[in-house]
Amino acid sequence: MIVVMSPSATKKNIDNVIKKLESLHLRTHLSEGEDRTIVGVIGDKKIIANLEMEMMAGVEKTVRITEKYKLVSRDFHPLDTVIDVDGVKIGGDELVVMAGPCSVESYEQLHAAAEAVKNAGAKILRGGAYKPRTSPYDFQGLGEEGLKLLRQVADEFGMKVVTEIVDREDIELVEKYADILQVGARNMQNFQMLKALGKSSKPIMLKRGLSATISEWLNAAEYIMVGGNENVIFCERGIRTYETYTRNTLDLSAVAAIKELSHLPIIVDPSHGTGRRSMIAPMSKAGIAAGADGLMIEVHPHPEVALSDGNQSLTPEDFKILMSNLNEIAKAVGKKI
Amino acid sequence: MIVVMSPSATKKNIDNVIKKLESLHLRTHLSEGEDRTIVGVIGDKKIIANLEMEMMAGVEKTVRITEKYKLVSRDFHPLDTVIDVDGVKIGGDELVVMAGPCSVESYEQLHAAAEAVKNAGAKILRGGAYKPRTSPYDFQGLGEEGLKLLRQVADEFGMKVVTEIVDREDIELVEKYADILQVGARNMQNFQMLKALGKSSKPIMLKRGLSATISEWLNAAEYIMVGGNENVIFCERGIRTYETYTRNTLDLSAVAAIKELSHLPIIVDPSHGTGRRSMIAPMSKAGIAAGADGLMIEVHPHPEVALSDGNQSLTPEDFKILMSNLNEIAKAVGKKI
Amino acid sequence: MIVVMSPSATKKNIDNVIKKLESLHLRTHLSEGEDRTIVGVIGDKKIIANLEMEMMAGVEKTVRITEKYKLVSRDFHPLDTVIDVDGVKIGGDELVVMAGPCSVESYEQLHAAAEAVKNAGAKILRGGAYKPRTSPYDFQGLGEEGLKLLRQVADEFGMKVVTEIVDREDIELVEKYADILQVGARNMQNFQMLKALGKSSKPIMLKRGLSATISEWLNAAEYIMVGGNENVIFCERGIRTYETYTRNTLDLSAVAAIKELSHLPIIVDPSHGTGRRSMIAPMSKAGIAAGADGLMIEVHPHPEVALSDGNQSLTPEDFKILMSNLNEIAKAVGKKI
Amino acid sequence: MIVVMSPSATKKNIDNVIKKLESLHLRTHLSEGEDRTIVGVIGDKKIIANLEMEMMAGVEKTVRITEKYKLVSRDFHPLDTVIDVDGVKIGGDELVVMAGPCSVESYEQLHAAAEAVKNAGAKILRGGAYKPRTSPYDFQGLGEEGLKLLRQVADEFGMKVVTEIVDREDIELVEKYADILQVGARNMQNFQMLKALGKSSKPIMLKRGLSATISEWLNAAEYIMVGGNENVIFCERGIRTYETYTRNTLDLSAVAAIKELSHLPIIVDPSHGTGRRSMIAPMSKAGIAAGADGLMIEVHPHPEVALSDGNQSLTPEDFKILMSNLNEIAKAVGKKI
């Protein structure tokens, strides 16, 4: 940490800052410029992490040099982590596609969707059994019934299941049916849930919060890893900006950022990321080109009657075309699908 | 709802839209312009609320006319709601000030803070026992021990207690000690917790999410009210923008917006809203002038040694000066403090 | 400036950084932590201001300690600047209100508006002769004819004139008619125009850009002051955020920020800041309570037939009521109106 | 346009609205729901475009159905526009790459950069002669001397020149030296300059404003086209968001949006879009995969001594590698480079 003293700070102010830091067994290093003195702080990182110096007389501001996360950092784990979901690998040379309806509605709907996406090359079936909805009057999902359908249909097609968990108390139940537990954008900083997921034996897919910074996102993953669960997959799903043409602004530079800062895999969700069916194909290609390890795409056999998010779902036909196009992009970045 | 057909929509497209709407027992109303046809949809609001028409051939977009929330709306309850917290009224002519440290650290710290804020005119003691922190390595609060201290110290000074709840499972425990349960910004759309708080007998203070729209905030309150708990207090605490000089951007127009759209009270938190001690006083005055029903302010007897958020806490002396200044502003808007 | 070396930087990398800095006659100061070395840079500020070190091998990032602006800074000019607009003072104890229609439409419209606002206490007449409009098909203003009307009507009522300038070439012409030249939000970083306004003898009102940071805004004012024109008035008019209920998000904490960082006056424009007539009164009060030196408010004799921005204009009656209410708020913060 | 009456609107309110619309020779269409009446407005689009109804008693809000731009719209011009810059085509099957230094600094620098980018496949040389800089104390460019160097060096290598224009008065001068005139982000809504560029015979590259919506961007292009200049190229260069890891947030969904809404070409600038050298390659690939017609990339022979933006410039070696990788991506989307 660096403590920047204000131009008007007195010698006494500076001495007090040094005295406080030394009382915490931290070392200091003074740099005196023309206008102001700057105090470098060296020592136990955990103490520095909790330091708040801005209230002391004469202090203008402080600058943190190091991020607080460790386990998620590529500095501590230079090689890419590959997560093995019961045979399906996420984070390696082979791209993984998760597809299926926004909400599980019925056996027929899910079966039709699964058949279509499996045939087109998807290995993981997605579908919401518990839906976080803005209004209490919106469809909230089928609950455990939806989980059972997901497992049953996925097994019929030899697929894995990813589904969202919206409450800490549901973890045990969802673990019985799903292969990957998804943390939604609205729960990215539900720290009690993250801590509980740190004890789960299942991989966690952590969606980026609606207005989460890259740093906050990495720290949220750190909550899971520090609990003992090392299998975290990031999912970029768009951030909130002033633009209204798209539902969110898909931030593909986050893919490059996560790849630089962390060893964990990251996938892209162009359905929620754009909210527009016509944009799913170009943004899927762009996500792969940016270096993502896979995609999550909403596919509904009849999007026009979907109970949620129909306007950001592909039809089975469109999905099939997209998958064959993705193959070329994957090859161009040295991967396969 | 209004369905806007694209200029290239065929007669068949339009007929199909009408047929679908009529199959749901909705009435339609056509308006044919030069370029395009617009279909007005009339009927059962619950059905309309879940309608998704954008996927149908020929549909360009839909426009929703009505918001989904009802119980929170001033349309359904024209008079201001005044919430009675065991004798302390929130939402009426008298402004309420909630003050105290960010985190409860010790009896001595809390006692000193409570004594100072009570003497200056605050009626409600704030303090965090469970702290949602970005990093798992940050101080997470004293837990139940902190709750006990809050109750004990508040009782010594005849104050009420407001404290944050970060997990659905803690509700019963926190209800034993606190008079108002606070939902933090990161949990504003933790819908399972909101539903559970709908069953609580305690008033709920609902902070605005980091990037929540006014509409989403009102819908979050609707989740609580629809469960049966009618005592919801909004708290504006700043939204996330591109500006970095302040920690958040305090949106005081939200005070005016909530007063227009809802009958529920709203208070302002200038500590989190700005993240800068020097801005607490001007933003407190501005909040009251904008029509807020009260304030939540962090006060720490020794902000320079605070375990969290010291740089956005007032000293007892500054708080005392602020309270006397607020009196004049309150009078100017026809209220007292 | 502080240069933060990456944990993997070699001794050679560090030596090269020092060598480069010393070749520019800058002094360096090393601080060696456990993980990394930090290099403090001291010397000629103009050289440091243009320094870019991030490309050198081993450099992780740089941190700038000082802002580049000087003349606008309170550090260099501790006392408040009071600008004298031909007898009307801006920045002192007396609040100034600028009011009038969004666009000048006709003599009758402007005369009616001016009479109303003058009688209610406004001293400066506002009105657009050149209108920056999103679409080329929107009304673009009356041009010089509008300027003449502004001058004529203002003189009839003994008022001063403020009007927007949208092109560098118009400066001379507008100076003939107006007392204050306004730079609109879209031109806040039209640096050629700012440079030209630095040579003007008229005070400049500099609106904040749609998404300008406080720092960029201060630097824009520095462009004007460095040219020799010391009379700059800031005007907060709302920033662009994700919220759609309001046209912009009025950032009243910017008032407190400008007061801390600069000696120049700042006024608030709640009409553009909110885009909603019902919010003008509460936000005007809040702006004054936050410490603003005045207000700019749109008033139209018949807002329902305005050629632009009718929905954010007050009627003369509403304006009169607001002005009398503002008096109380002004007194509460030690000012008068 | 649709006028939504409030639930409390009286019959008289509705009659007045209809009367006003009919007085403007517009036709109306009533749709009466349970709670409220909705008035559809049909007729002359130019009149409707300027209509403001929100101030009339009983009106809750209005909804605009059609955008105001026409000439830029794909509705009016379904086929892609291909712009011919003296033999170099932009908008067709062949991708175009514009590359060179941020600022023109010297003949040697520009020559080295041009040689490198030409050999790697770039056809258009970029370089700033007039630099819009946040601070008046930053390097402002070489001016006409820089323009001359651009032309001279481009001619040596058989390249075209694109350079930024920062003032309306410079148009004639810049036209003498450059093949494409660039409008920077800060001038996207400098409407006087856009109007003047509508009279230019040179193609215009219009960068997206820092916080411009897609709709505002299209309207800005309409200003140029309505003046008679049909050769407009969009350039996505990142928007301002809360994220600080990147300099801006590159919005690649804007590429897909522009392709849907307009017939004009669009290129991507990953240098300004991210502000980080390490992200230029992945974001270039992603931009092409998203459907962009080309790229603009900063390349500096010695980025570590650049006078501006060194940390977002590629070295000639990195650029060469990127260009060969782009070839594969281009093929995957049916294009060549």
Side-chain angles (χ1 to χ4, degrees), chain A residues 133 137 167-168 222-223, chain B residues 133 137 167-168 222-223:
Chain A
R133 300 300 298 270
Y137 308 116
D167 194 31
R168 181 156 78 93
E222 186 85 7
Y223 264 97
Chain B
R133 301 300 298 269
Y137 308 117
D167 194 30
R168 179 155 79 93
E222 186 85 7
Y223 264 97

Side-chain angles (χ1 to χ4, degrees), chain C residues 2-14:
Chain C
I2 290 158
V3 180
V4 180
M5 304 300 298
S6 89
S8 61
T10 61
K11 172 136 192 354
K12 183 127 193 290
N13 294 153
I14 298 169

Side-chain angles (χ1 to χ4, degrees), chain D residues 306-325:
Chain D
L307 292 183
S308 59
D309 289 347
N311 42 358
Q312 66 191 34
S313 298
L314 287 186
T315 60
E317 294 69 36
D318 290 335
F319 181 71
K320 196 175 161 189
I321 295 167
L322 171 59
M323 287 295 281
S324 71
N325 289 338

Side-chain angles (χ1 to χ4, degrees), chain D residues 46-63:
Chain D
K46 209 157 166 186
I47 295 173
I48 293 176
N50 284 314
L51 212 52
E52 304 222 20
M53 304 293 294
E54 284 90 345
M55 285 299 287
M56 291 195 71
V59 173
E60 188 171 292
K61 64 173 174 179
T62 60
V63 179

Side-chain angles (χ1 to χ4, degrees), chain C residues 14 27 39 46 50 56 67 83 99 117 144 148 183 215 222 260 262 265 270:
Chain C
I14 298 169
R27 280 174 298 131
V39 184
K46 208 155 169 188
N50 284 313
M56 293 196 70
E67 293 281 351
I83 294 174
V117 302
E144 188 172 359
K148 283 181 185 163
V183 178
S215 169
E222 186 85 7
E260 273 177 35
S262 179

Side-chain angles (χ1 to χ4, degrees), chain B residues 21-331:
Chain B
L21 292 166
E22 289 179 346
S23 77
L24 295 163
H25 306 291
L26 299 169
R27 281 173 298 132
T28 59
H29 209 253
L30 258 67
S31 171
E32 284 171 41
E34 278 169 66
D35 289 347
R36 65 186 81 219
T37 296
I38 288 167
V39 184
V41 185
I42 302 162
D44 185 326
K45 278 177 208 165
K46 209 156 167 186
I47 294 172
I48 293 176
N50 284 314
L51 212 52
E52 306 222 18
M53 302 294 292
E54 283 90 345
M55 285 298 287
M56 291 195 72
V59 172
E60 188 172 291
K61 65 172 175 179
T62 60
V63 179
R64 292 189 181 280
I65 299 303
T66 46
E67 293 281 350
K68 293 185 178 179
Y69 53 80
K70 290 172 202 158
L71 301 174
V72 303
S73 172
R74 196 176 274 280
D75 287 349
F76 291 77
H77 187 304
L79 294 182
D80 284 351
T81 286
V82 178
I83 294 174
D84 188 332
V85 185
D86 207 7
V88 176
K89 303 230 170 67
I90 304 178
D93 286 349
E94 199 162 338
L95 301 175
V96 66
V97 176
M98 309 176 181
C102 178
S103 303
V104 178
E105 296 169 16
S106 67
Y107 174 79
E108 288 70 27
Q109 171 239 24
L110 193 61
H111 187 274
E115 186 169 33
V117 302
K118 167 72 179 183
N119 286 340
K123 290 184 180 156
I124 299 179
L125 181 64
R126 65 144 288 152
Y130 301 94
K131 300 300 303 172
R133 301 300 298 269
T134 301
S135 161
Y137 308 117
D138 285 340
F139 175 62
Q140 309 269 326
L142 294 182
E144 188 172 0
E145 181 55 28
L147 295 175
K148 284 182 185 163
L149 290 173
L150 275 168
R151 184 73 271 159
Q152 181 188 346
V153 170
D155 286 346
E156 286 182 47
F157 292 102
M159 298 180 80
K160 307 301 163 205
V161 167
V162 58
T163 197
E164 181 167 353
I165 190 153
V166 296
D167 194 30
R168 179 155 79 93
E169 290 190 19
D170 299 334
I171 294 178
E172 242 179 288
L173 180 69
V174 179
E175 279 176 333
K176 287 204 308 193
Y177 298 102
D179 302 296
I180 303 175
L181 309 186
Q182 174 183 325
V183 177
R186 286 170 188 76
N187 282 308
M188 192 203 86
Q189 290 193 317
N190 182 338
F191 299 119
Q192 303 308 309
M193 198 164 94
L194 298 179
K195 285 177 191 172
L197 290 168
K199 305 298 178 199
S200 174
S201 60
K202 301 282 182 174
I204 310 301
M205 187 171 82
L206 181 67
K207 287 200 154 190
R208 185 177 185 182
L210 268 73
S211 61
T213 61
I214 300 287
S215 169
E216 288 168 342
W217 198 11
L218 290 163
N219 273 299
E222 186 85 7
Y223 264 97
I224 299 170
M225 287 192 78
V226 88
N229 187 344
E230 301 193 343
N231 295 314
V232 180
I233 304 151
F234 290 104
C235 177
E236 163 64 29
R237 45 76 71 202
I239 58 173
R240 183 157 277 185
T241 69
Y242 65 84
E243 179 60 67
T244 56
Y245 187 73
T246 44
R247 181 171 172 177
N248 294 290
T249 295
L250 192 68
D251 177 13
L252 292 180
S253 65
V255 173
I258 290 291
K259 285 287 170 197
E260 273 178 36
L261 298 171
S262 179
H263 53 91
L264 294 168
I266 176 166
I267 70 161
V268 169
D269 173 351
S271 294
H272 286 88
T274 65
R276 298 181 82 100
R277 185 174 43 147
S278 62
M279 287 186 171
I280 295 175
M283 289 302 102
S284 293
K285 293 177 200 169
I288 297 305
D293 297 299
L295 297 166
M296 171 172 257
I297 296 175
E298 292 189 4
V299 177
H300 194 288
H302 305 288
E304 71 281 8
V305 298
L307 292 183
S308 60
D309 288 349
N311 42 356
Q312 66 192 35
S313 297
L314 288 186
T315 60
E317 293 68 36
D318 289 336
F319 181 70
K320 197 175 160 188
I321 294 166
L322 171 59
M323 286 296 280
S324 71
N325 289 338
L326 285 177
N327 201 22
E328 296 300 303
I329 301 279
K331 270 193 281 180

